[in-house]
Amino acid sequence: MSQNYRELPKKNFIETRDLLLEHIGEPGFENVPLEQCCGRAVARSYFAPDAVPNFARSPYDGFALRSVDVELASPDNPVVLKIVDEIRPGRVSSKILSKGEAVKILTGAPVPQTADCVIMHEKTSFTSTAVTVTESMKPQQNVVQIGEDQSKGCLLLSKGTVIDPAAAGLLASQGFSEICTYRKPRIGIISTGDEVQEIGRHLAFGKVYNANRYLLAAELQRLRFDYEYLGHCSDDPEQIAELLGTGLQQCDAVITTGGVSAGDYDYVPEAMVRCGVDVLAFGVKMKPGMACCYGMKNGRLCIALSGNPASAMTNFYAVAAPLLKKMAGYAAVCPKMFKVKMLNDFSKTARADRLLRGTLVLENGVCEMVASREQGNAVISSMSGSDLLAVVPAGHGPVASGEILDAFLI
Amino acid sequence: MSQNYRELPKKNFIETRDLLLEHIGEPGFENVPLEQCCGRAVARSYFAPDAVPNFARSPYDGFALRSVDVELASPDNPVVLKIVDEIRPGRVSSKILSKGEAVKILTGAPVPQTADCVIMHEKTSFTSTAVTVTESMKPQQNVVQIGEDQSKGCLLLSKGTVIDPAAAGLLASQGFSEICTYRKPRIGIISTGDEVQEIGRHLAFGKVYNANRYLLAAELQRLRFDYEYLGHCSDDPEQIAELLGTGLQQCDAVITTGGVSAGDYDYVPEAMVRCGVDVLAFGVKMKPGMACCYGMKNGRLCIALSGNPASAMTNFYAVAAPLLKKMAGYAAVCPKMFKVKMLNDFSKTARADRLLRGTLVLENGVCEMVASREQGNAVISSMSGSDLLAVVPAGHGPVASGEILDAFLI
């Protein structure tokens, strides 16, 4: 099958992505210290082992008292209570409140069981021994109830949720010090192409610096995946196959750039086949990013992208990133599509879906987009600052300013 | 001045932030390898040392030829050209094209000076020695011009731009291997409060686990700043001052949580004064997040946040994060405000600006927001997944579904 990759039917980017997603299984999991788990997905659902807070607590500095004692309190009928204790946060009072007694209480301290409400100190007058109350209080007024934040047994995070800072705080509030998360995929990067030269020395005529290596590395850093640069190959099928083979042993996924069109020296798909990769997609109906090749070997993913930076990255965002997220165990892997109103026009037409890069503008209460002025395959300069891709459907004519397109964040 | 911090006038969060921003100077800079510079701000403007591409190149696999030779070419008048060379990417042809000659050329290869256009191979018929052209070509047709991506001397990145993946690719495309970036601020975290217990052992009655430490650490990781946890202090002004003093020696900024209200055991502002910190703001008119204290000592920033996680993080997003971004040299430090339409209501009123946390919904082409169901100061469970804060202005009544609020992304 994979031998005849040139005959694989070309699909659009959503069909291609969804077809490939089916081939990616659930990753392994491992326990990770809480401080290192941000950006990883939890490998099981987390439920609250305890209520938070697990004691009734005071939300203010003030006085804990029995509401029955101040039932008739008013400015005309001030009630004076005797202060019998002071409760600081983290401390417990052993005092049992009798009629006419109150305890001074600080924010976060446990409300004694024999009190049933808290009055803010600003609403009282007080000395070190007595507090005067001039208003009535309801039972449980100003008492943070047990489980007000998290009830015991409630769902904290469902399986596959990516841990954000608040989720890390949530897990900490329940005392979890190690979190069962999915393994992060380790991703190898290979650059190919006789014209590609590493940075660090003078550029020879006819050569271009290796920008894709840094683009991809930075994108993988942004996604918090681990990566390694495996090296550069010239346009030589044996050399490519050798490095790709090494990569597929060391890494969960390998991404190559260059050598993936249908030209005479586009040896990457051939090298994939030589390595025993089952090619699942060769090319995708999109522009830029049409040239690509995707395959699997023993659960490991091989992603061959174009050597043109804008093509490579557009295909990466549309197809590759969701696959890598699935390899990292994320429950939500596909970007959400939403409507944007174009603030400028774009004259080129395309037979395939065209993905326009640009900037999301939210300032007018509507979702608008400024498409980058340069949309060429090889243009890097217009990519910086872009935060979304809008889809001009296949066969659509020129896009006018004011038109509504589907888009997704990158 | 800082001794009388309780008398400092309380301002709203924007006034407080802007006042504090004025006290933060330009950070130092350092050269960083390109691969490690993502998320840092460039400490100088970068201009293109060379054009990209710096040679005229072919965008396709095809044939480079002289347009004059195919001036009259048509299906009825096919023109046959002799193939005199093949140019692969990264290679240079020494051939000078004479009348009736063409060279086979691959994508990315330099177009010979004696050719002035490229025809895609799909539009021709060819053998190994001759190519038949049936259409006329214009001079420079299908030739990627010198500087088409970046002209020599053009601005690549202005000073203070945060390096994103595309910017890393852009710098690589110009061969920069080390980038002059601003130093990242190193931030110390201190937790305070007798009721706060570190995770890892059974929670004593009346105690709460230290969630703020992990919330802040994760948020600083997300911002790509360096941080260290300096430790936990009980509510003891000397102990707090000692740890704060150490922190202000080791770090560019120190963030504390807890002990910052106006209560009897809120010793953090006092500890700041003891350490010689010039207190610039004590409290801010916002809810949650009112309790806070900000000051500077020798260019180092001291940020005291509430012990209530939602208060701490709201204040962090609204006031602290822009300050830390300025310390990192970012040109853009304040979040952009935009309008959102509320998809649910919120009944509480506030005398200060109330910052509602919630989720941005973009699916209907307009910016909408679902406010989290719980907005309490101490509630962590509703923070996970939140991506924006909407501002209910001071004195505003209950917020109705459908109402438009100003908001910013966190």
Side-chain angles (χ1 to χ4, degrees):
Chain A
M1 168 55 145
S2 62
Q3 307 296 329
N4 306 320
Y5 61 86
R6 284 174 194 267
E7 285 155 35
L8 286 170
K10 283 189 183 31
K11 298 168 188 283
N12 71 27
F13 75 94
I14 291 177
E15 292 162 346
T16 306
R17 176 194 77 192
D18 291 349
L19 176 149
L20 292 166
L21 280 173
E22 283 175 27
H23 289 264
I24 294 169
E26 191 176 342
F29 51 85
E30 60 192 345
N31 284 329
V32 173
L34 178 58
E35 202 160 347
Q36 288 156 31
C37 72
C38 251
R40 285 169 173 259
V42 287
R44 65 170 176 89
S45 291
Y46 273 83
F47 296 91
D50 202 353
V52 170
N54 66 1
F55 57 90
R57 95 180 155 200
S58 175
Y60 304 121
D61 291 351
F63 298 90
L65 47 88
R66 299 156 14 115
S67 58
V68 66
D69 286 354
V70 296
E71 212 168 3
L72 304 173
S74 74
D76 295 332
N77 182 32
V79 172
V80 179
L81 302 170
K82 187 182 167 194
I83 301 173
V84 297
D85 203 356
E86 178 188 293
I87 317 177
R88 294 170 56 166
R91 309 288 166 84
V92 181
S93 174
S94 57
K95 286 275 159 46
I96 295 167
L97 287 198
S98 302
K99 183 169 166 24
E101 291 181 341
V103 293
K104 183 174 172 184
I105 192 163
L106 281 299
T107 308
V111 176
Q113 282 198 306
T114 47
D116 69 352
C117 62
V118 172
I119 188 163
M120 290 171 83
H121 71 90
E122 294 93 330
K123 298 203 166 177
T124 68
S125 57
F126 57 92
T127 65
S128 59
T129 55
V131 56
T132 304
V133 176
T134 58
E135 60 187 272
S136 66
M137 300 288 294
K138 290 187 210 100
Q140 302 312 321
Q141 193 174 340
N142 298 335
V143 175
V144 177
Q145 300 296 321
I146 290 173
E148 191 163 294
D149 183 359
Q150 300 153 45
S151 59
K152 188 170 176 167
C154 76
L155 178 68
L156 300 173
L157 299 172
S158 60
K159 185 175 165 173
T161 302
V162 181
I163 299 168
D164 65 6
L170 187 61
L171 291 164
S173 74
Q174 287 285 355
F176 290 107
S177 55
E178 290 220 314
I179 312 301
C180 179
T181 70
Y182 286 114
R183 284 185 57 239
K184 280 204 265 188
R186 178 157 193 85
I187 298 151
I189 300 173
I190 295 172
S191 301
T192 78
D194 288 349
E195 79 281 25
V196 172
Q197 186 185 307
E198 297 292 3
I199 59 176
R201 58 198 172 88
H202 184 75
L203 194 63
F205 183 80
K207 303 270 188 178
V208 293
Y209 280 120
N210 188 353
N212 289 323
R213 165 185 172 180
Y214 297 95
L215 261 170
L216 280 171
E219 202 50 65
L220 294 171
Q221 279 177 42
R222 194 170 76 118
L223 290 167
R224 294 176 184 252
F225 297 149
D226 293 329
Y227 70 91
E228 65 182 301
Y229 180 60
L230 297 166
H232 170 259
C233 298
S234 55
D235 293 315
D236 175 276
E238 277 185 42
Q239 203 190 331
I240 299 169
E242 195 184 321
L243 200 53
L244 189 58
T246 307
L248 287 168
Q249 282 177 341
Q250 291 173 7
C251 303
D252 301 294
V254 177
I255 305 179
T256 67
T257 53
V260 76
S261 294
D264 295 2
Y265 300 99
D266 291 320
Y267 290 128
V268 173
E270 191 185 320
M272 284 168 66
V273 173
R274 280 194 196 201
C275 285
V277 171
D278 185 23
V279 176
L280 299 165
F282 178 62
V284 54
K285 286 187 190 164
M286 68 187 288
K287 202 171 164 59
M290 190 166 293
C292 67
C293 192
Y294 284 83
M296 300 286 297
K297 183 185 179 183
N298 302 333
R300 299 186 167 191
L301 177 63
C302 189
I303 301 171
L305 302 176
S306 166
N308 277 324
S311 299
M313 294 316 294
T314 305
N315 191 295
F316 179 88
Y317 296 128
V319 182
L323 308 181
L324 296 176
K325 287 178 181 177
K326 187 163 182 194
M327 291 190 100
Y330 290 16
V333 300
C334 296
K336 218 168 171 178
M337 300 292 276
F338 58 94
K339 304 284 181 195
V340 290
K341 185 175 158 189
M342 289 284 287
L343 288 176
N344 47 3
D345 52 18
F346 184 74
S347 59
K348 279 194 185 170
T349 60
R351 275 167 300 170
D353 293 336
R354 182 183 285 276
L355 274 64
L356 293 178
R357 53 187 178 272
T359 314
L360 181 63
V361 178
L362 294 178
E363 57 202 22
N364 304 316
V366 291
C367 304
E368 299 174 316
M369 174 185 177
V370 179
S372 304
R373 100 211 108 70
E374 282 294 344
Q375 298 282 346
N377 289 355
V379 171
I380 310 178
S381 54
S382 68
M383 291 169 68
S384 183
S386 291
D387 51 13
L388 85 168
L389 289 168
V391 185
V392 186
H396 189 289
V399 179
S401 172
E403 208 169 310
I404 308 291
L405 296 177
D406 283 315
F408 60 95
L409 294 173
I410 59 178
Chain B
M1 170 55 146
S2 62
Q3 307 297 327
N4 306 319
Y5 61 85
R6 284 176 193 267
E7 286 155 35
L8 287 170
K10 284 190 179 36
K11 299 165 188 284
N12 71 28
F13 76 92
I14 291 177
E15 292 161 346
T16 306
R17 176 194 77 193
D18 291 349
L19 177 149
L20 293 166
L21 280 173
E22 282 176 26
H23 290 264
I24 293 169
E26 191 175 344
F29 51 86
E30 59 192 345
N31 284 328
V32 173
L34 178 59
E35 203 158 349
Q36 288 156 32
C37 73
C38 250
R40 286 171 172 255
V42 287
R44 65 168 176 90
S45 291
Y46 273 82
F47 296 90
D50 202 353
V52 170
N54 67 1
F55 56 90
R57 95 180 155 202
S58 175
Y60 305 121
D61 291 349
F63 299 91
L65 48 88
R66 299 158 15 118
S67 58
V68 66
D69 286 353
V70 296
E71 211 168 3
L72 303 174
S74 72
D76 295 333
N77 182 32
V79 173
V80 180
L81 302 170
K82 184 180 169 200
I83 300 172
V84 296
D85 202 357
E86 177 187 291
I87 316 176
R88 295 170 57 167
R91 310 288 168 84
V92 180
S93 173
S94 57
K95 286 274 161 45
I96 295 166
L97 287 198
S98 303
K99 184 169 171 10
E101 292 181 340
V103 292
K104 183 173 173 184
I105 192 162
L106 282 299
T107 307
V111 176
Q113 283 197 307
T114 46
D116 69 354
C117 62
V118 172
I119 188 164
M120 291 171 80
H121 71 88
E122 294 94 331
K123 299 202 167 178
T124 67
S125 56
F126 57 91
T127 64
S128 59
T129 55
V131 55
T132 305
V133 177
T134 58
E135 59 186 272
S136 66
M137 299 288 292
K138 289 188 212 96
Q140 303 312 321
Q141 193 173 343
N142 298 336
V143 176
V144 176
Q145 299 297 322
I146 289 173
E148 190 160 296
D149 183 357
Q150 300 152 46
S151 59
K152 188 170 177 169
C154 75
L155 178 68
L156 300 173
L157 299 172
S158 60
K159 185 175 164 175
T161 302
V162 181
I163 300 167
D164 65 5
L170 187 60
L171 291 165
S173 75
Q174 287 285 354
F176 290 105
S177 55
E178 291 221 313
I179 312 300
C180 179
T181 70
Y182 286 115
R183 284 185 55 238
K184 279 205 263 187
R186 176 155 194 85
I187 298 152
I189 300 173
I190 295 172
S191 301
T192 79
D194 289 350
E195 79 281 23
V196 173
Q197 185 185 305
E198 298 292 2
I199 59 177
R201 60 199 170 88
H202 184 72
L203 194 64
F205 182 80
K207 303 270 188 180
V208 293
Y209 280 121
N210 189 353
N212 289 323
R213 165 185 171 178
Y214 297 95
L215 261 169
L216 280 171
E219 202 50 64
L220 294 171
Q221 279 178 42
R222 195 171 74 119
L223 289 166
R224 296 179 184 247
F225 297 149
D226 293 329
Y227 71 91
E228 65 182 301
Y229 180 60
L230 297 165
H232 170 259
C233 298
S234 56
D235 294 316
D236 175 275
E238 277 184 44
Q239 203 191 328
I240 299 169
E242 197 184 319
L243 200 53
L244 189 57
T246 308
L248 287 169
Q249 283 178 340
Q250 291 173 8
C251 304
D252 302 294
V254 176
I255 306 178
T256 67
T257 53
V260 77
S261 295
D264 296 0
Y265 300 100
D266 291 321
Y267 290 130
V268 173
E270 192 185 321
M272 283 167 66
V273 173
R274 280 195 197 203
C275 285
V277 171
D278 185 23
V279 176
L280 299 165
F282 179 62
V284 55
K285 286 188 190 164
M286 67 186 289
K287 203 173 162 56
M290 191 166 293
C292 66
C293 191
Y294 285 84
M296 301 285 296
K297 182 185 178 182
N298 303 333
R300 296 181 171 197
L301 178 63
C302 188
I303 301 171
L305 302 175
S306 166
N308 278 323
S311 299
M313 295 316 293
T314 305
N315 192 295
F316 179 88
Y317 296 129
V319 182
L323 307 182
L324 296 176
K325 287 178 179 175
K326 188 161 181 195
M327 290 189 100
Y330 290 19
V333 299
C334 296
K336 219 169 173 177
M337 300 292 276
F338 58 94
K339 304 284 182 196
V340 289
K341 186 175 159 189
M342 289 284 288
L343 288 176
N344 47 3
D345 52 18
F346 183 74
S347 60
K348 280 193 185 170
T349 59
R351 277 167 300 168
D353 292 337
R354 183 183 284 278
L355 274 65
L356 293 178
R357 52 186 179 271
T359 313
L360 180 64
V361 178
L362 294 177
E363 56 201 23
N364 303 316
V366 290
C367 304
E368 297 173 318
M369 172 187 179
V370 179
S372 304
R373 97 212 109 71
E374 283 293 344
Q375 296 282 346
N377 290 353
V379 172
I380 310 177
S381 54
S382 67
M383 292 167 66
S384 183
S386 291
D387 53 13
L388 86 167
L389 289 168
V391 184
V392 186
H396 189 289
V399 178
S401 172
E403 210 168 307
I404 308 290
L405 295 177
D406 282 314
F408 60 95
L409 294 172
I410 59 178

